[in-house]
Each structure stands twice: as C-alpha cells, then as structure tokens.
Amino acid sequence: MDFCEPLLFDESIDIETIVNTYSHALLRYCHSILCDYHEAQDVLQITFIKAWQNKNKFSGDDKDLSNYLYKIAYNSCIDAIRRRKQRLKNPAEPAKQNQDHIPENIKSALMILCPLDRAIAYSHAVDDISFAELAEIYGKTAAALRKRYERARKKLSKILSEGYPNYQNYRKGANNNDE
Amino acid sequence: MMNEFNKEDIKNIFGEIKTPEYNPTDDIKQKINHGYKIKPKISRLKRTVIIIAAIMGVIILMGAGLNMIVQRVFDADGNSHLQFIPFRHRFRHDPNDEKVLFEREFYDYPNAENILVIRRGDGTGWSDPRRNISDYDELQKYIDGDIFKLPEYVPDGYKFSNADIYFYIDEDFDFENAELIAHEEKFGNVYEKYYIPENPDNISQLFIYYVKEENGEEVYLFYNIFLMDPGFINTNISGQENTTGEILQMPQFDRNILLSTDSYEDGNYFTQYNFHGIKIIPLKYGYDILNQEYGTVFYIISTYSLSQNEIIKMAESIK
C-alpha cells in the first residue's frame, strides 16, 4: 500500500488526518471492486464514518489502521453491490450517468470476476500486499487467496487477450471437458 | 493462443481505471457531526419479523414437547447427575421467589421462645409455635417419659446438635394472651408474629438433630416424635406404597411396632434453613417407628448409610 506512515487509532488522531491519509488509496480500491466511481465515493464516505463511529471496537493489537479500513471498505463494497442488485429489480429508479472512467473492455473483464477476486487481484498486484497480509484482511488462508488470485489472473488473461466471446466459448469447452 | 498475464500486466489492467481525485473530508465531517447513522443491513421491520418468528419458534418447540433442558447437578457426595429441568423453571423468573424468601425470613425465629406465625389473607393458617433448644439438659424438661421419649443409644459418633419443639394450637386459640411482635402486609397477605406463653401439655412434635463429622463433612441423624391420630398412622403411614415394613415386638411399648423402611433415595431432600443460607441435605435412609396405641410416630432419618440394625438398636433404646 502506498501509505507513508501507518496511523494509530488513538486520542490524538482526528478524522481529517485519517481521511487525508487514506482516502485516495481506498477510493481506488473501491473503484476497482465496484467499477463505479460514484458508488466508490459513497462507499469511501461510509467506510470512514463506520471506522470513526466504531473506533472503540478497533483492536489495540492491530496497530495498522489500514488493514482495519480495508476490511470495512471491502464489506461496504459488498453491501453496495447487494444494493445495486436490489436497484436493478426496481426499474422505477433512474439509471445514473456512466462516469466510470474505465475502458469498456477492462470493465467487462473485471466484471467477470467476483468482487473478492477483484479485491485480491487489485491488492496483490497494485498495492503489492502479500497473501499473508491479505489473509488477515479477508479472513481466509493465504493459500486460498493465492489460488483465487491465480484463477483471477488466468481469467483476465483469457478475456483480455482473446475477447469476451472467445472467453464464453472457452468456458463452455471447460465445462464440457469437466463432463 | 492465450497470452498469460503476469503480475505487472494485472497492475496495468487496474492502472487503466482512472480514479479522479476526491476529497470527502468535509462531507464526512458534516455527516459525523450531524449524527449520521449507517443504514443497517437488515431493516427494522425485517429484524422485528425475525425476532417474532424466533420467539414463535421457541414457543412451538416447547409446545411440541421439547420443554426440558438437561443440567448437570452435583449431590452432597460430589457425584454429578444429569437432571431434566423444565424450560419455564430454568428461564422464567418465578414471581413467587420473592414471597418465599420473605416468608422464610419472617418464619425464622431461632432464638425466640414459642413464636406463632400467622398468615392471613389468601394464605390462611399458621405455623405451629416452635421453640428451638440447643441445650440438651433443657431438652429434658420436655421429655415426659410417656409419649415423648429419647433414645438412650445413638449410633457411634453422633452428638446432640439441637432440637425443635413444636406446640399445638387450635382454631380457638386466644390471642388476647399472646403478644404481637411483628406485623407485615405483603403479597396480598397479612403476616403476624406472636409470642405466646408456653404450655408443655400442647407439645405436638419433637425434632432432634444429631450430627457427626464424617470425612470432613457433617452427617445428620434426625429423630422425630410426631404425635398424631392413630387412625392417621394406619391409613397414611403404614399404607404408603413404598413402605416396606415388619412388625417388631418391643418390650418398652405395649403394642406391636411397625418398623418401616422408606426409600428416600429418589430425590427426597430435607431443607434446613440457617443463618448462612439454605442447606439441602439429601435423605438416604429413613425409618418410621409407629406406636399405634399412643398415636406416635418416630422417624429416624439419616443422611448417611446407617444399617437397619443400628436403627433398631436406637429404637429399642427409646425409653
């Protein structure tokens, strides 16, 4: 993660310092998972508010605030995706203007992955977080996360090098082979 | 042919996502200062429905017969047993508890002489006047040698601890000669404590406690002389289903004596109240010695293994 110094949740710290330190990195993280800039902004705010309102629950052993914030951000992203599904069921709600700032082919490829795979791929490849560290954030074993990352990497390779229609054919072939 | 991406390629893919700068500080501060609350994942309505459904489920399960829970309990010997306890006893606060505690305290009169407790209201009746004696010589005053007799033999190691002497009064008791010493109105009842003059002719029952130390624990032996109607003895005591009895000739009595052995091991407990709380004493061995002529019942009950021979020896020494 590209943070300068890890912060501690103690009496001296204020919300402004936390936001200034972590907001951009968390926004990019949320944007990569959600592939929606506006939703990422909302989730970012929710993440900081949740973290601040629950700061007393923050474990004193876990001095690295960033892990704590990433956990909240990831869970908030999942909540946002759930709400998104509910919105799709409600056609009365007007669709927001697309301001994703993501090339269409990249977005299509990323949306093939599940949110956890996107989160792991982003955290490992961009923020260069080890699987051992990721295991603490996502509450899974490092080996399981490594497998998921490898699977996500192969999926992205297939989709982006051969295109989405070919990926669909590849999937069908894989299923037939399974049978 | 698929070109497999490496870590740098994945990083470049995410690099294609352009995330404009955004400073949410003011929005966040405003929301925090205005007590902004995150919308819960489950709405209040849903949560209420789930709670009601859970409560209904428990009620249905209880109605379906799953109304018992198992609890491990320890007896006086330290052995553990599984005990089935109804849900309602385990989880529901019994409103009667407070009343029981109050009455226990109100009825406690260890150092007083001839106290009569009367309860008026929906709980009618009274407790018989009682006197507690811890001096063995003073106890002799109440032993008439005719009906109320003491055993000369007590099994090895047991010593006199104390005795309760109960006095009989009937409905025509004259309260003008009694002294009211406590009056309480609670739980819809009126509780009164009276001090009444002692009348040795009205003794109804002697309850004598013997105690000995066994492996660091106190072991009790109770000797109870109960004056009652001979008809009651025949119909209620010797006719009990679990009573196994044998007729013994005892020279000190004019009539045959029925020595019966009752099983107390199936959960009979004697509750002794004392200043330090309640002492639950499991009764293991009980013998009733009935004198039909006088209408007396002698109970000898022990919390420790006591052979029938010892009991008979003790009964034979009642003179």
Side-chain angles (χ1 to χ4, degrees):
Chain A
M1 287 175 215
D2 51 356
F3 306 137
C4 313
E5 279 292 317
L7 288 176
L8 305 179
F9 240 147
D10 60 24
E11 294 298 322
S12 62
I13 199 167
D14 60 13
I15 185 69
E16 195 167 350
T17 310
I18 298 171
V19 173
N20 288 339
T21 309
Y22 294 105
S23 66
H24 190 60
L26 280 174
L27 183 62
R28 286 181 61 204
Y29 172 77
C30 296
H31 194 189
S32 300
I33 295 174
L34 296 167
C35 296
D36 185 307
Y37 183 62
H38 284 301
E39 272 187 343
Q41 284 180 313
D42 291 342
V43 166
L44 183 70
Q45 288 192 24
I46 288 169
T47 300
F48 284 123
I49 292 169
K50 273 185 185 172
W52 188 252
Q53 288 177 344
N54 296 300
K55 59 184 174 181
N56 294 335
K57 295 177 190 169
F58 179 63
S59 165
D61 297 334
D62 187 1
K63 297 291 183 190
D64 190 351
L65 181 57
S66 67
N67 278 5
Y68 181 60
L69 290 172
Y70 269 78
K71 277 180 200 171
I72 297 174
Y74 174 74
N75 290 329
S76 302
C77 285
I78 298 298
D79 290 343
I81 290 167
R82 286 197 188 116
R83 284 198 297 274
R84 185 190 290 173
K85 285 177 184 168
Q86 284 172 356
R87 274 205 308 274
L88 287 173
K89 288 179 192 167
N90 182 9
E93 197 168 312
K96 283 186 178 175
Q97 198 181 351
N98 185 5
Q99 285 187 335
D100 291 337
H101 312 283
I102 307 173
E104 202 54 43
N105 65 325
I106 298 289
K107 184 175 178 179
S108 301
L110 288 175
M111 293 307 279
I112 294 288
L113 304 181
C114 74
L116 179 59
D117 287 351
R118 287 200 291 276
I120 294 165
Y122 177 88
S123 299
H124 183 65
V126 180
D127 284 341
D128 203 22
I129 304 176
S130 70
F131 291 114
E133 272 185 277
L134 289 176
E136 285 181 25
I137 297 174
Y138 298 109
K140 298 186 186 301
T141 63
L145 293 178
R146 183 187 296 279
K147 262 189 191 171
R148 293 192 79 117
Y149 171 79
E150 288 302 325
R151 222 163 41 205
R153 186 176 62 80
K154 281 182 183 166
K155 270 189 192 175
L156 286 175
S157 306
K158 186 76 185 168
I159 299 162
L160 288 171
S161 62
E162 297 181 13
Y164 184 70
N166 287 337
Y167 175 73
Q168 292 291 70
N169 292 334
Y170 162 77
R171 290 264 301 174
K172 280 179 190 168
N175 289 340
N176 290 337
N177 288 340
D178 289 345
E179 288 165 9
Chain B
M1 186 67 188
M2 186 179 77
N3 174 30
E4 274 218 1
F5 295 161
N6 58 25
K7 189 177 173 183
E8 196 59 31
D9 295 325
I10 303 294
K11 186 175 179 179
N12 290 336
I13 290 170
F14 282 107
E16 293 286 329
I17 301 173
K18 304 299 175 199
T19 307
E21 289 285 336
Y22 167 60
N23 189 345
T25 310
D26 292 339
D27 290 340
I28 291 168
K29 280 166 85 172
Q30 194 181 2
K31 283 178 179 171
I32 289 173
N33 290 337
H34 286 81
Y36 177 81
K37 284 208 169 69
I38 305 291
K39 196 177 170 188
K41 284 181 193 170
I42 304 174
S43 69
R44 190 171 292 180
L45 177 67
K46 268 188 188 170
R47 200 166 42 198
T48 309
V49 169
I50 290 168
I51 291 169
I52 290 171
I55 292 169
M56 295 287 287
V58 170
I59 292 169
I60 289 167
L61 282 174
M62 288 170 70
L66 294 173
N67 60 350
M68 306 283 269
I69 59 165
V70 180
Q71 181 172 300
R72 187 172 289 279
V73 293
F74 292 88
D75 64 18
D77 298 330
N79 303 315
S80 69
H81 305 278
L82 292 180
Q83 191 176 65
F84 289 92
I85 298 174
F87 267 130
R88 60 184 184 279
H89 289 176
R90 177 69 179 83
F91 297 113
R92 194 183 297 167
H93 171 71
D94 187 351
N96 206 35
D97 285 352
E98 200 184 337
K99 185 180 172 190
V100 170
L101 284 172
F102 167 76
E103 288 186 353
R104 183 181 302 160
E105 194 177 328
F106 196 80
Y107 276 49
D108 207 8
Y109 38 89
N111 295 318
E113 293 183 1
N114 293 316
I115 296 296
L116 169 69
V117 177
I118 291 194
R119 187 173 60 176
R120 294 196 177 109
D122 61 359
T124 55
W126 54 81
S127 65
D128 279 344
R130 185 184 75 172
R131 182 170 183 203
N132 186 272
I133 292 170
S134 53
D135 183 347
Y136 191 75
D137 291 337
E138 196 179 353
L139 174 66
Q140 301 297 326
K141 202 168 81 179
Y142 301 94
I143 305 302
D144 59 8
D146 186 11
I147 296 173
F148 296 104
K149 309 173 181 191
L150 287 177
E152 288 183 354
Y153 172 80
V154 179
D156 190 35
Y158 285 94
K159 286 182 181 167
F160 169 78
S161 167
N162 59 307
D164 280 326
I165 301 167
Y166 290 83
F167 297 87
Y168 174 79
I169 60 161
D170 59 21
E171 292 168 355
D172 301 325
F173 180 76
D174 181 13
F175 281 95
E176 284 187 6
N177 293 322
E179 181 188 347
L180 181 67
I181 55 174
H183 175 101
E184 297 254 15
E185 291 182 27
K186 280 193 167 198
F187 313 108
N189 287 337
V190 176
Y191 297 89
E192 288 180 335
K193 258 187 188 181
Y194 287 90
Y195 172 76
I196 63 169
E198 186 172 292
N199 183 354
D201 292 338
N202 285 342
I203 296 176
S204 64
Q205 187 180 172
L206 284 184
F207 208 111
I208 299 163
Y209 303 79
Y210 299 91
V211 65
K212 79 167 179 176
E213 198 177 295
E214 185 86 26
N215 299 325
E217 286 186 15
E218 284 185 332
V219 180
Y220 289 86
L221 178 67
F222 308 103
Y223 169 63
N224 184 202
I225 308 171
F226 206 143
L227 182 64
M228 56 171 63
D229 180 355
F232 177 85
I233 293 172
N234 285 328
T235 54
N236 291 282
I237 305 296
S238 56
Q240 278 179 8
E241 277 185 16
N242 295 327
T243 300
T244 54
E246 54 183 299
I247 305 297
L248 298 176
Q249 289 287 347
M250 291 202 178
Q252 79 273 28
F253 296 117
D254 296 333
R255 300 283 294 270
N256 291 343
I257 298 295
L258 175 70
L259 177 71
S260 67
T261 307
D262 279 343
S263 168
Y264 286 90
E265 292 187 80
D266 297 333
N268 279 281
Y269 290 89
F270 177 79
T271 310
Q272 190 190 34
Y273 306 102
N274 56 34
F275 293 113
H276 309 291
I278 309 162
K279 201 165 197 170
I280 306 287
I281 302 165
L283 302 175
K284 290 189 175 176
Y285 303 91
Y287 299 87
D288 305 331
I289 302 159
L290 314 177
N291 184 333
Q292 287 161 311
E293 184 183 20
Y294 289 113
T296 51
V297 179
F298 300 87
Y299 294 107
I300 299 175
I301 305 166
S302 169
T303 62
Y304 190 69
S305 175
L306 205 60
S307 70
Q308 185 169 318
N309 285 341
E310 285 280 78
I311 293 290
I312 292 171
K313 206 171 165 184
M314 188 172 169
E316 284 174 342
S317 75
I318 298 169
K319 289 174 182 170

